[in-house]
Amino acid sequence: MPQFCETYFILTYLLMHKHTINTTSKNVIYRCAPIKAVAALALLLLGQTAAFSQKKWSETTKGTYNLVSNPGGQTLGYSPTSGVKILTIKGQAFKDLNKNGTLEPFEDWRLTYDQRAKDLAGRLTIEEIAGLMLYSAHQSLPARSTGYFAGTYKGKSFTAGETDPSDLTDQQMKFLKEDNLRHVLITTVQSPEIAAQWNNKLQAYCESLGNGIPANNSSDPRHGTRAKAEYDAAAGGEISMWPSSLGMAATFNPALIQQFGQIAADEYRALGITTALSPQVDIATEPRWSRFNGTFGESPALSAAMGQAYCDGFQTSLGKKAVRNGWGLGSVNAMVKHWPGGGSGEGGRDAHYGCGKFAVYPGNNFNAHLIPFINGAFKLKGKTKSASAVMPYYTISWNQDTKNGENVGNSYNKYLITDLLRQKYQYDGVVCTDWGITGEHKHLDQFLDGRSWGVENLTEVDRHYKILMAGVDQFGGNNNAKPIIEAYQKGVKELGETAMRARMEQSAVRLLRNIFQVGVFENPYLDPAVTKSTVGKPAYMKAGYETQLKSVVMVKNSQKTLPIAAQKTVYVPKRFVPASRNFLGMETPSSTDYPVSLDLVKKYFKVTDNPDEADYALVFIQNPANTIGYNKEDLAKGGNGYLPISLQYGDYTATDAREKSIAGGDPLEKSADRGYKNKSIKTANSTDAQLVQDTKAKMKGKPVIVSVTTTNPMVFSEIEKEASAILVNFGVQDQAIFDLLAGKVEPSALLPMQMPANMSTVEKQAEDVPYDMECHKDTDGHRYDFGFGMNWKGVIKDARVMRYKR
């Protein structure tokens, strides 16, 4: 009788806990030796025979974390100090993330991402969901002692030699634990190994809290070039270096940017980064815009193709790393930006600043700005199908809300987010605001300002509530959950608890899905040695450098000046760089120096500092430095503060600007007119044009070759006639320029934008319309139009030109 009762108890237990049999329950059964056969029969009927077989998984220790290998299943990683245990089901291992001894659906890697996300979202408190909606401010590894990226370690600033740079800061531990934040934005890192070690400490800390939700680390683009870095085919680097997005666009080759996405994703994952705050697919129809160089140029079709390839490259896991629907251990979520396009700021001003908060559409061309999204990032060729996240821009898309007539920042606008993005275009990925849009607006001309455009008079809580009701899921740059929780409470009063809870869970599912699909719930840990060997490895450096070579546009080559034969003698004049101040207010003093390393030049040519001895002059300059289009000195003189943004080197007066601005209005301004007609501006680096002219005179008729590094379209008429050949690049290593000059590689790139004939055509073009400027015509009769470029034979006319023609 006792044995029968014991058997009955075990069978009842098994029936009640059909899906939760683990090592603990198995051991209970094995201790009941007299009834092992009866229990085994019950388990067989329940499909749980593996409970009596030896476990199929194995475990190894990897420094600070353990790895569990699951034959035929997912590899698990967990910290032995986090409190997480391993559950065994049918011989396979699962992480008990919420530490309750039971396998919950969200812990079951056999289920779909949506099933897991919905299950976990339903278990979270409102406070935990609010934490998911946060996106941290910029985190530097290690934290800096002062300034925007400052942080402390046990109350003290970072001290080299004393503080472990891989430790979590006090601020990080606070927002992870108290605010339940799980989306972290990483900026500078001391080294790849430090980033890996920091990631492991971060993930172990997250794993120890609540439901063990891992961190979804992210980055802005970090694969830019350092001009003076030399490329060595046999050597690696800190991280592979590629052209800017504008340089990528100049290749007119989406396959190259897909390759970049695959390589960058591998490097990101080795650094613990699982979301890329990119690509930027705004069509750059306004040539003065300061973010022009982050785009793929002004063509909607080219931008769509490049954005599509970028997202496919980043998001698609290949080979053994693929898990489900294209996602897996090699995937990085792509957060495409900026919906519905931010490239039409009035007068070229940028919406990071209060003076640039309006995007205008004088050409009624709003729909063209949607093309890179709806025909590109939202329509991928790969299995992931769509960019998993999207970021609206700061701008007020002036008079484009055809339903409610609201002129508010894009993330606040329900028509743009819910009616257009969610409903018309059926987008169900994460929508995350740009950084800092719920803060207080105090300045018109400062980068570090609250960007609550159009809702400046609302409270912080009401701004959060309006964003939630517009259909947005996440708040960029916000470490504090309190205003989200208070916004929820306001919603409960207005809509009821059931409706508001459903709204919060809707966002939670989207946010969790993006964490599940990159595999970090199973294993968020990194091997620092693998990180070191992956990030910047020679093969990746080679691919980046070869793409740089394909991104440089030759726009002029009179009398076949290029390539330069070996053993020729060149003269490289020194360049004056004026004093400047970056967007954070950090100053750089003026300097006069060689613009390139003469040691590098000597590897290609003979070098002289005497123009009379030279066969050629090589002049290195940058495009005219633009401004934000606002100056308090003008305000002090009785003006409205607004000034023109110039694309020419010489002094400029805006005689052809529109009489009054299209858009306007700000609590800090008395007038809604932001016009600047007949006002004048000087260009800080006007000396670059003078350098070309002076060098031309010194060379006494011998060839002058100009290399221009540019971020925007520019007026070439001031320098073109003085040059025998011109190369245009968008950010490459100097070595790439010399490989082209020496003929080691033939130029193949094309202009991804127009180069204006003058500033008059710039003023007369519509901010929202591409290809609407008169283009510069050089002394050889060539127009610097979209798609123009030259090789050694002359003007390039190939399939790329036809595919993306105007």
Side-chain angles (χ1 to χ4, degrees):
M1 186 68 179
Q3 284 188 352
F4 174 80
C5 292
E6 189 173 10
T7 303
Y8 179 81
F9 166 77
I10 292 172
L11 293 178
T12 303
Y13 175 88
L14 293 171
L15 288 169
M16 291 176 63
H17 300 274
K18 180 176 178 180
H19 299 293
T20 63
I21 300 170
N22 55 33
T23 53
T24 303
S25 60
K26 184 179 71 174
N27 290 336
V28 169
I29 295 165
Y30 269 108
R31 285 198 299 270
C32 306
I35 58 161
K36 183 192 296 185
V38 179
L41 177 61
L43 286 169
L44 181 64
L45 294 173
L46 290 170
Q48 300 288 348
T49 55
F52 284 110
S53 64
Q54 197 135 40
K55 66 182 183 182
K56 297 178 182 178
W57 54 270
S58 60
E59 186 169 355
T60 57
T61 299
K62 300 282 289 185
T64 60
Y65 64 96
N66 291 358
L67 273 186
V68 176
S69 296
N70 262 324
Q74 297 302 301
T75 297
L76 310 181
Y78 75 101
S79 169
T81 63
S82 69
V84 165
K85 304 297 181 185
I86 298 299
L87 305 176
T88 301
I89 307 297
K90 293 188 177 180
Q92 290 189 310
F94 300 82
K95 291 167 69 173
D96 183 15
L97 288 165
N98 65 359
K99 311 162 191 72
N100 68 350
T102 300
L103 180 66
E104 309 293 1
F106 82 88
E107 298 166 331
D108 190 343
W109 43 259
R110 299 169 299 185
L111 300 180
T112 68
Y113 303 130
D114 275 347
Q115 286 173 320
R116 299 176 72 184
K118 289 176 182 177
D119 175 72
L120 181 52
R123 298 172 185 275
L124 298 181
T125 65
I126 291 300
E127 289 75 15
E128 289 171 321
I129 294 176
L132 282 177
M133 290 178 164
L134 301 175
Y135 221 125
S136 83
H138 301 70
Q139 304 297 307
S140 177
L141 309 180
R144 299 180 186 179
S145 299
T146 59
Y148 189 52
F149 304 118
T152 57
Y153 299 83
K154 296 182 179 179
K156 298 180 180 180
S157 296
F158 176 81
T159 303
E162 295 182 13
T163 313
D164 186 339
S166 69
D167 280 351
L168 302 184
T169 66
D170 302 330
Q171 293 76 20
Q172 289 163 358
M173 287 191 287
K174 179 182 183 298
F175 64 57
L176 291 169
K177 183 176 183 179
E178 296 180 18
D179 292 292
N180 299 294
L181 184 148
R182 289 297 181 272
H183 293 80
V184 182
L185 175 57
I186 299 172
T187 55
T188 57
V189 298
Q190 187 177 100
S191 71
E193 300 97 305
I194 293 299
Q197 293 162 8
W198 176 86
N199 170 82
N200 290 350
K201 292 177 181 179
L202 171 79
Q203 299 293 8
Y205 189 64
C206 291
E207 195 173 79
S208 73
L209 302 173
N211 290 287
I213 299 173
N216 180 2
N217 299 326
S218 67
S219 174
D220 280 309
R222 59 194 311 119
H223 282 83
T225 61
R226 287 181 289 109
K228 294 190 178 182
E230 287 193 46
Y231 169 67
D232 181 345
E238 294 178 1
I239 196 166
S240 61
M241 291 188 283
W242 299 73
S244 66
S245 294
L246 198 56
M248 290 286 195
T251 70
F252 277 55
N253 187 349
L256 284 176
I257 201 165
Q258 184 159 344
Q259 179 194 31
F260 160 70
Q262 291 166 349
I263 289 174
D266 196 31
E267 293 182 307
Y268 272 28
R269 291 304 301 259
L271 292 167
I273 296 168
T274 47
T275 292
L277 301 186
S278 52
Q280 184 185 341
V281 300
D282 316 74
I283 55 171
T285 49
E286 169 44 60
R288 295 163 289 188
W289 188 30
S290 62
R291 300 197 68 180
F292 197 107
N293 68 318
T295 74
F296 296 119
E298 65 182 299
S299 164
L302 181 60
S303 296
M306 290 293 185
Q308 180 186 67
Y310 190 108
C311 295
D312 271 329
F314 266 91
Q315 292 191 168
T316 304
S317 285
L318 302 173
K320 294 181 179 179
K321 292 184 178 181
V323 176
R324 189 190 302 269
N325 300 330
W327 293 100
L329 307 180
S331 298
V332 173
N333 293 293
M335 184 179 290
V336 62
K337 54 190 185 184
H338 303 90
W339 179 263
S344 62
E346 185 164 17
R349 297 184 295 273
D350 178 59
H352 277 88
Y353 302 89
C355 61
K357 65 183 181 180
F358 297 109
V360 295
Y361 301 87
N364 296 316
N365 202 36
F366 175 80
N367 288 337
H369 290 255
L370 305 183
I371 290 173
F373 297 93
I374 61 177
N375 292 343
F378 298 166
K379 191 184 288 186
L380 303 185
K381 294 180 180 179
K383 293 181 180 179
T384 65
K385 296 184 179 180
S386 175
S388 63
V390 63
M391 180 187 294
Y393 202 39
Y394 297 113
T395 45
I396 295 172
S397 297
W398 188 255
N399 289 343
Q400 297 308 305
D401 181 348
T402 59
K403 183 176 181 179
N404 306 307
E406 274 198 307
N407 278 316
V408 293
N410 295 325
S411 290
Y412 290 97
N413 194 299
K414 188 172 184 178
Y415 167 75
L416 294 177
I417 305 301
T418 294
D419 297 334
L420 202 59
L421 178 61
R422 296 287 194 201
Q423 296 178 357
K424 182 174 181 178
Y425 296 113
Q426 296 294 297
Y427 185 77
D428 192 41
V430 167
V431 177
C432 176
T433 75
D434 214 326
W435 261 235
I437 73 165
T438 58
E440 294 299 319
H441 169 43
K442 299 178 181 178
H443 308 278
L444 286 162
D445 61 346
Q446 291 190 20
F447 184 84
L448 298 180
D449 185 36
R451 304 178 183 104
S452 49
W453 309 147
V455 294
E456 294 91 347
N457 294 325
L458 294 182
T459 65
E460 184 182 28
V461 171
D462 286 344
R463 290 174 195 147
H464 282 77
Y465 183 63
K466 186 171 180 63
I467 289 170
L468 286 174
M469 293 301 101
V472 173
D473 303 300
Q474 198 165 29
F475 299 84
N478 183 1
N479 295 4
N480 182 7
K482 183 179 177 182
I484 301 177
I485 296 169
E486 292 180 2
Y488 165 78
Q489 293 167 345
K490 176 176 180 174
V492 169
K493 292 179 181 178
E494 292 190 4
L495 305 174
E497 185 173 0
T498 301
M500 202 59 198
R501 169 79 197 192
R503 171 66 193 89
M504 298 289 280
E505 281 194 30
Q506 183 183 46
S507 286
V509 169
R510 293 170 181 148
L511 292 160
L512 289 167
R513 181 199 299 140
N514 284 8
I515 308 178
F516 278 114
Q517 65 198 12
V518 295
V520 287
F521 267 91
E522 276 58 71
N523 181 24
Y525 296 98
L526 303 171
D527 183 337
V530 173
T531 294
K532 183 178 180 180
S533 65
T534 300
V535 180
K537 68 182 181 181
Y540 291 173
M541 299 297 290
K542 181 175 185 289
Y545 184 73
E546 289 177 347
T547 304
Q548 291 180 50
L549 293 170
K550 296 174 183 177
S551 73
V552 180
V553 186
M554 184 167 70
V555 294
K556 188 176 184 181
N557 194 23
S558 294
Q559 299 178 341
K560 297 190 180 297
T561 300
L562 296 177
I564 302 174
Q567 301 305 310
K568 291 295 184 179
T569 302
V570 300
Y571 164 64
V572 180
K574 291 184 177 181
R575 176 175 178 258
F576 172 73
V577 179
S580 62
R581 180 183 288 111
N582 70 10
F583 65 92
L584 293 176
M586 300 169 65
E587 294 186 355
T588 300
S590 63
S591 63
T592 300
D593 202 352
Y594 290 110
V596 293
S597 166
L598 292 188
D599 289 337
L600 175 64
V601 183
K602 291 174 182 177
K603 293 181 179 180
Y604 293 84
F605 313 111
K606 296 178 181 178
V607 179
T608 180
D609 59 3
N610 183 354
D612 292 334
E613 299 175 354
D615 299 307
Y616 300 86
L618 306 180
V619 184
F620 294 85
I621 61 174
Q622 295 184 1
N623 64 298
N626 58 22
T627 63
I628 67 171
Y630 185 90
N631 190 305
K632 288 180 179 176
E633 292 180 6
D634 178 76
L635 196 65
K637 294 176 182 178
N640 61 0
Y642 291 87
L643 297 173
I645 296 174
S646 177
L647 300 180
Q648 68 180 38
Y649 291 107
D651 296 352
Y652 170 60
T653 300
T655 55
D656 292 318
R658 58 176 61 105
E659 291 288 343
K660 291 186 177 182
S661 65
I662 294 172
D666 188 281
L668 302 181
E669 293 181 314
K670 297 178 180 179
S671 171
D673 180 18
R674 297 185 163 199
Y676 52 83
K677 186 177 175 65
N678 294 323
K679 290 185 180 181
S680 299
I681 189 78
K682 293 180 180 292
T683 299
N685 63 328
S686 60
T687 49
D688 276 0
Q690 190 63 50
L691 180 63
V692 175
Q693 294 159 11
D694 291 347
T695 304
K696 176 69 172 177
K698 291 177 181 179
M699 289 298 289
K700 300 174 183 177
K702 291 180 289 186
V704 174
I705 300 166
V706 177
S707 174
V708 185
T709 300
T710 188
T711 58
N712 289 76
M714 58 179 282
V715 176
F716 269 92
S717 59
E718 298 165 297
I719 62 168
E720 176 270 317
K721 62 182 178 294
E722 314 295 342
S724 299
I726 301 175
L727 294 177
V728 178
N729 78 85
F730 308 97
V732 297
Q733 292 167 256
D734 292 337
Q735 186 174 347
I737 302 297
F738 284 98
D739 278 347
L740 287 159
L741 291 172
K744 292 187 176 183
V745 180
E746 185 172 19
S748 60
L750 308 168
L751 290 176
M753 74 284 210
Q754 295 181 316
M755 294 295 182
N758 48 54
M759 280 304 298
S760 177
T761 191
V762 173
E763 295 291 1
K764 293 175 181 177
Q765 58 90 34
E767 285 94 336
D768 59 324
V769 177
Y771 324 127
D772 62 342
M773 294 190 295
E774 176 190 354
C775 296
H776 174 72
K777 184 177 181 180
D778 70 14
T779 54
D780 293 332
H782 297 140
R783 290 197 180 276
Y784 295 180
D785 204 344
F786 172 85
F788 172 74
M790 302 181 70
N791 55 25
W792 303 143
K793 296 176 182 178
V795 177
I796 298 172
K797 295 181 180 178
D798 59 20
R800 297 173 302 158
V801 179
M802 298 304 296
R803 186 177 303 119
Y804 300 109
K805 65 181 180 181
R806 290 174 44 180

